[in-house]
Amino acid sequence: MNDPDQEEISKRRGIYLPSFLIYGGVSGLYDYGPYGSRIKDNVIRIWKDMMLSEGNVAEYDGTSLTQISVLKASGHYDRFFDYSTECENCHTKFRVDDLLEKRNIEVRLDQDYLTRALKEDNIKCDKCGGELGEVKIHKLMFQVEQGQNSDPLFLRPETAQGIFVNFKEYYRFFREKLPFAIIQVGRGYRNEISPRKALYRLREFNMMECESFFDPENERWVNEPPDSFKVKMAANTGEEFFISPREAYERQIVKSQPLAYFIGKSFQFYVRIGLDPDRIRYRQHKKDELSHYSSDTWDAEALTSTGWIEITGIAHRGTYDLSRHIETSGKDLYAQRVIPSRKVMEEVVEIDYGLIKKKFVNDAPAVISALKNNQDFVTIKGEKIKLAEFLIKSHVEKIIDRENFIPTVIEPSFGLDRIIYSLFDQNFTTRAESGFNVLRIPSEISPYEAVVLPLMPNDSLDKVAREVFSQLLAKGGRVLYDESGSIGKRYARYDEVGIVYGITIDYDTLKDNTVTLRHRDTREQIRIPIKEIMNYVRSSPWNGKKN
RNA sequence: GCAGGUGUUGUGUAGCCUGGUAGCACAAAGGCCUUCCAAGCCUUUAGCCCGGGUUCAAAUCCCGGCACCUGCACCA
């Protein structure tokens, strides 16, 4: 039997669908519908809870529109343009900067220059020797006009930069103690050349990013990498391991302790939201795969029906971003560390204004400005005057017990849409006996905790069911009500969108105030009193169970 | 972005070649019936991706655009 078609179900059942569909849609843009939005929010909520529970993590929420200077500093602006050319004979595409670099020809990001360079150096197709076509530009960031004469703004290609530029706010918030981390959930925008596979490659996408900051002399997270479980790891040496994150660090397969920690943390997160632990692996980037800012990156990948796909990148960004922002903005984004205190004598030079006024009443300003210009002499009324005598030099004892440093950054960056895509891919199953679809996601990810169903829409069953529905809503339950269609049809309807519990109001309910509780995965039923529904649904041994 | 293919009610599709009232199944809504896993019967809603052209007449033929699929390239 074929796997259920995720996109078909998602569209039909309001999980996600292409944006602006009535006008034909836009490539790379997708919306979440009534069920999908709730699933997405649940994933975000759990992620935030897990990150914030570390104790030294705080949240940031920045704008999507980003100032050009930020992106110039971060290095994204230089990669704003992708210059490509195509062989007119065999239609192979090349990046023009690659072609020039290979031949040791200077690369300038300028269309005219690159076109000329290709012609003048008579560069041909690397594959077949054919003529190369014109140089085409592809903009990789979305540009937005602002006002009339102002600089344009850009839609952020990652949420991280907003965090880096606000580093000092958080440094103070955490009482100037490292390590700490800042998390942000938000949208990023990349003008992908060809978006594909529904949620897999989008032009506007949801990211959950965490920037953790360290003293490079003590690059350790507050907690140790877990060793209670093992994960699959593929190092860029070609070696593969199945070991705990702690062991991976101890054996230096993962060189950085926090990086190993976040590998463990992300794994716990995936398992909690319902990804299959056997279908998750961590793969280290090869040297030529690394981003411009990273020295070491491990991707978390999920195995889906289309192969392993990247769902999270855990990158060691070093001091790259903060140093770039220090350099470009001229602002202090340093952290400080306490060092053994030592005394230094510092020479302090002050101008003796009293003496100057006394000696030169009207010419005092000329003398003062000469001093401020660091001149040694000044000529007043034809007389050359030595200025040294108007300076008071003293020695002050100073205690130095701090020094500046640029923190290093380790960034786990979770691709929310890809995680949801993998979650559906791994958890949509078809019942062998009936052919109906079941979305087996954990209850806390489910769009609703339960659905209230009168066995029949009459005999006052519907009336009682509505009462039960209201009671559950009043208790804060995430519940739905449905009386339309046969009971079996309704069970199937909610199986398909992942709701774990069916609460059926039947004829026994009228007698003894109990209901039938039916489980999505096992289809088993039990009776429990109305009063206990909420409690049971939230704490039941069935919760999250799979079979 | 290139090459090839595809686009028909909410979903899956027939019809296109050979132009002439757009059909089926499921889903959904209303009704009858019905005491736990998509039952049955009646009724209803709802569609030719968008724009232009050819033609008396276009879902059908032609052109352009958009979207999707596969491959290539791209993925900072």
Side-chain angles (χ1 to χ4, degrees):
Chain A
M1 186 174 292
N2 289 336
D3 283 337
D5 180 342
Q6 174 183 149
E7 282 185 64
E8 186 266 313
I9 299 171
S10 292
K11 204 167 155 190
R12 179 162 50 77
R13 295 308 309 275
I15 298 174
Y16 65 78
L17 71 166
S19 304
F20 315 119
L21 208 45
I22 66 164
Y23 289 109
V26 180
S27 183
L29 301 182
Y30 276 77
D31 297 343
Y32 288 93
Y35 291 114
S37 308
R38 295 186 70 113
I39 293 170
K40 168 174 155 278
D41 277 357
N42 290 335
V43 173
I44 292 173
R45 179 175 44 80
I46 289 171
W47 185 81
K48 280 190 189 174
D49 284 353
M50 286 183 75
M51 299 309 287
L52 292 170
S53 71
E54 293 285 317
N56 58 337
V57 176
E59 195 174 349
Y60 171 78
D61 186 7
T63 60
S64 293
L65 288 171
T66 305
Q67 220 184 332
I68 187 166
S69 343
V70 175
L71 297 162
K72 278 186 175 166
S74 70
H76 288 98
Y77 186 80
D78 290 338
R79 293 161 182 77
F80 184 10
F81 297 118
D82 173 26
Y83 295 90
S84 63
T85 184
E86 187 178 321
C87 171
E88 287 172 349
N89 182 39
C90 71
H91 297 289
T92 307
K93 258 202 149 188
F94 300 96
R95 284 186 64 113
V96 179
D97 40 344
D98 285 349
L99 288 175
L100 296 183
E101 264 167 28
K102 267 189 209 162
R103 292 165 174 79
N104 288 320
I105 300 166
E106 189 197 350
V107 174
R108 270 186 248 151
L109 297 180
D110 173 307
Q111 193 174 15
D112 291 340
Y113 169 83
L114 294 173
T115 307
R116 239 184 303 124
L118 285 184
K119 275 205 185 124
E120 282 170 11
D121 292 286
N122 199 28
I123 294 170
K124 303 282 188 209
C125 172
D126 273 354
K127 262 195 190 157
C128 72
E131 288 291 330
L132 293 173
E134 57 175 328
V135 175
K136 288 182 183 166
I137 309 178
H138 184 78
K139 296 181 176 185
L140 296 161
M141 285 197 292
F142 292 102
Q143 186 172 328
V144 179
E145 300 312 318
Q146 175 194 208
Q148 290 238 299
N149 295 311
S150 316
D151 283 338
L153 296 170
F154 294 85
L155 289 172
R156 60 185 176 194
E158 59 175 13
T159 61
Q161 295 308 323
I163 292 176
F164 295 132
V165 300
N166 282 289
F167 169 71
K168 274 283 163 132
E169 296 296 320
Y170 286 81
Y171 187 56
R172 277 195 294 275
F173 175 83
F174 284 109
R175 319 306 326 161
E176 308 193 357
K177 282 179 186 64
L178 297 182
F180 64 78
I182 307 172
I183 60 170
Q184 173 164 222
V185 177
R187 305 212 176 209
Y189 307 80
R190 292 180 191 185
N191 192 7
E192 298 286 355
I193 293 169
S194 92
R196 285 282 162 90
K197 289 202 176 65
L199 298 185
Y200 179 65
R201 192 183 298 153
L202 296 171
R203 291 206 167 114
E204 173 173 343
F205 51 96
N206 292 281
M207 320 170 79
M208 304 187 293
E209 291 197 309
C210 170
E211 309 300 329
S212 56
F213 298 89
F214 301 89
D215 182 337
E217 290 182 3
N218 182 27
E219 197 177 278
R220 296 188 78 84
W221 187 244
V222 283
N223 300 309
E224 286 305 309
D227 68 348
S228 53
F229 54 86
K230 294 182 174 186
V231 301
K232 287 180 194 152
M233 306 189 89
N236 62 12
T237 53
E239 289 172 289
E240 298 197 0
F241 305 90
F242 184 57
I243 52 175
S244 75
R246 185 175 303 177
E247 198 187 341
Y249 172 60
E250 281 165 359
R251 288 172 53 186
Q252 285 291 290
I253 293 154
V254 176
K255 299 261 183 326
S256 149
Q257 186 262 11
L259 215 154
Y261 182 79
F262 288 120
I263 285 175
K265 186 87 182 175
S266 64
F267 188 81
Q268 290 169 314
F269 166 70
Y270 301 138
V271 172
R272 180 163 163 194
I273 63 171
L275 286 173
D276 178 0
D278 294 333
R279 286 184 275 176
I280 296 168
R281 75 173 182 196
Y282 292 83
R283 190 182 63 80
Q284 186 178 27
H285 278 206
K286 299 190 177 73
K287 288 283 170 254
D288 58 2
E289 235 183 311
L290 290 167
S291 314
H292 64 286
Y293 48 72
S294 179
S295 57
D296 190 17
T297 297
W298 288 77
D299 278 347
E301 298 181 327
L303 184 59
T304 67
S305 50
T306 52
W308 289 98
I309 64 169
E310 179 196 343
I311 54 175
T312 296
I314 307 175
H316 199 302
R317 297 180 76 129
T319 58
Y320 178 82
D321 299 277
L322 287 177
S323 20
R324 294 286 298 146
H325 286 302
I326 288 170
E327 210 174 291
T328 311
S329 69
K331 294 294 186 328
D332 172 1
L333 299 178
Y334 294 97
Q336 293 191 318
R337 67 169 77 89
V338 176
I339 54 172
S341 75
R342 62 191 157 90
K343 290 177 187 169
V344 275
M345 297 304 285
E346 216 167 66
E347 192 183 65
V348 178
V349 181
E350 283 176 287
I351 297 171
D352 190 343
Y353 293 99
L355 185 62
I356 295 169
K357 272 188 189 164
K358 213 192 255 176
K359 283 206 164 180
F360 305 97
V361 188
N362 290 331
D363 295 318
V367 178
I368 291 167
S369 70
L371 279 165
K372 287 194 171 163
N373 283 335
N374 291 322
Q375 288 169 226
D376 291 332
F377 297 93
V378 70
T379 307
I380 302 283
K381 291 175 184 151
E383 189 186 347
K384 191 177 179 187
I385 294 162
K386 197 180 177 192
L387 289 172
E389 61 178 297
F390 302 107
L391 292 173
I392 306 167
K393 287 186 185 172
S394 58
H395 291 269
V396 174
E397 189 181 278
K398 224 182 160 185
I399 293 169
I400 293 183
D401 59 359
R402 308 212 128 201
E403 67 182 6
N404 279 350
F405 66 92
I406 301 173
T408 53
V409 170
I410 294 183
E411 172 204 69
S413 173
F414 296 70
L416 178 53
D417 312 283
R418 290 178 173 194
I419 288 169
I420 288 173
Y421 178 85
S422 311
L423 196 62
F424 291 158
D425 188 273
Q426 292 190 356
N427 291 293
F428 266 124
T429 54
T430 301
R431 290 201 203 280
E433 67 282 7
S434 59
F436 303 138
N437 302 313
V438 188
L439 178 58
R440 300 190 178 202
I441 51 176
S443 185
E444 59 178 348
I445 297 298
S446 269
Y448 294 87
E449 291 169 295
V451 55
V452 178
L453 310 162
L455 186 61
M456 299 291 157
N458 46 33
D459 292 338
S460 83
L461 292 174
D462 51 342
K463 186 170 157 281
V464 174
R466 284 182 188 280
E467 280 166 21
V468 171
F469 177 53
S470 304
Q471 283 174 30
L472 295 176
L473 285 174
K475 286 183 186 170
R478 298 182 285 121
V479 291
L480 279 178
Y481 174 83
D482 191 354
E483 59 177 34
S484 140
S486 73
I487 189 68
K489 182 179 264 192
R490 281 177 279 159
Y491 286 147
R493 200 178 273 159
Y494 295 101
D495 285 348
E496 197 173 41
V497 291
I499 297 175
V500 181
Y501 295 102
I503 298 162
T504 306
I505 280 53
D506 51 31
Y507 289 94
D508 288 341
T509 311
L510 303 179
K511 289 182 223 154
D512 61 6
N513 284 317
T514 62
V515 296
T516 300
L517 201 64
R518 180 261 191 193
H519 193 272
R520 177 193 67 201
D521 299 344
T522 61
R523 303 196 298 170
E524 281 169 12
Q525 303 190 343
I526 56 166
R527 290 205 76 78
I528 60 164
I530 291 172
K531 280 184 196 161
E532 289 173 23
I533 295 173
M534 229 36 247
N535 191 32
Y536 196 93
V537 162
R538 293 210 168 140
S539 62
S540 124
W542 279 349
N543 202 342
K545 176 179 162 183
K546 292 187 183 180
N547 65 344

